[in-house]
Amino acid sequence: MGGHYYRDAAGLRAPVVVGSEFDLVISLYTREGHGPDGGVEHRCVEVPDGPLTADQIESICALAESAATAVGAGRRVLVRCHSGYNRSGLVAAQALINLGYGTDDAIFLIRYRRSKWALNNPLFVDYLNTGLHVARLLVGLEA
C-alpha cells in the first residue's frame, strides 16, 4: 500500500516511481511517469477521496478481489493512491476482509503497517463496517 510521493531524508517531496517490483499494481490515482513498467499488470480506476457512487464502490470491490486473489497466489501486489492512506486503504482493507480477516482487524493492520493516518476518512471506515456490497446498494438508493 502506498502513494505517488514520499518525504525524503531532507523532508522534501519526492516521486515514487514503480518499476517491476510488483506483479500487480492497482492505482486509484495516476500520474504520468510513476510507472509501473510495461510488463506489469496494472489496473487503474480513479476514484475520489470522498463519497463514492455505487459504480465506484463496485469497482473497489472488484479491485479488492483482484488483490486478494493475487496475494493468495503468492503474487506481489501494490495498491496505491495519491498519498497512500484512504483510497488504497479501502481496497487493501477489503482485500484483507476477502482473505478472511475481520473488519476491525483489517483496519487495525492497515493503520499499524502503513500509518496511523491510514483510513482517516471516516466515510471509508463506515463503508467497510457496513460491508462494501451493502454500502453499494445503499448508495445506489440515493441516486
Side-chain angles (χ1 to χ4, degrees), residues 22-132:
F22 299 95
D23 302 308
L24 170 63
V25 176
I26 296 172
S27 296
L28 300 146
Y29 169 88
T30 58
R31 295 288 295 185
E32 188 68 33
H34 286 248
D37 287 349
V40 176
E41 183 180 356
H42 190 201
R43 299 194 183 179
C44 302
V45 177
E46 294 209 24
V47 295
D49 188 5
L52 302 175
T53 67
D55 288 342
Q56 289 167 333
I57 293 173
E58 184 60 33
S59 293
I60 295 294
C61 290
L63 293 170
E65 186 59 39
S66 294
T69 299
V71 166
R75 296 177 71 205
R76 297 165 298 162
V77 178
L78 170 64
V79 181
R80 66 182 182 171
C81 57
H82 185 270
S83 297
Y85 294 135
N86 284 309
R87 291 169 280 187
S88 59
L90 181 61
V91 172
Q94 185 60 46
L96 289 170
I97 292 165
N98 292 353
L99 289 167
Y101 287 85
T103 303
D104 290 340
D105 290 338
I107 292 168
F108 172 82
L109 282 171
I110 295 298
R111 290 177 175 157
Y112 180 75
R113 297 297 302 228
R114 172 66 177 133
S115 167
K116 66 180 180 180
W117 305 112
L119 286 171
N120 64 53
N121 180 335
L123 180 59
F124 286 6
V125 173
D126 288 346
Y127 288 156
L128 290 166
N129 284 323
T130 299
L132 284 183

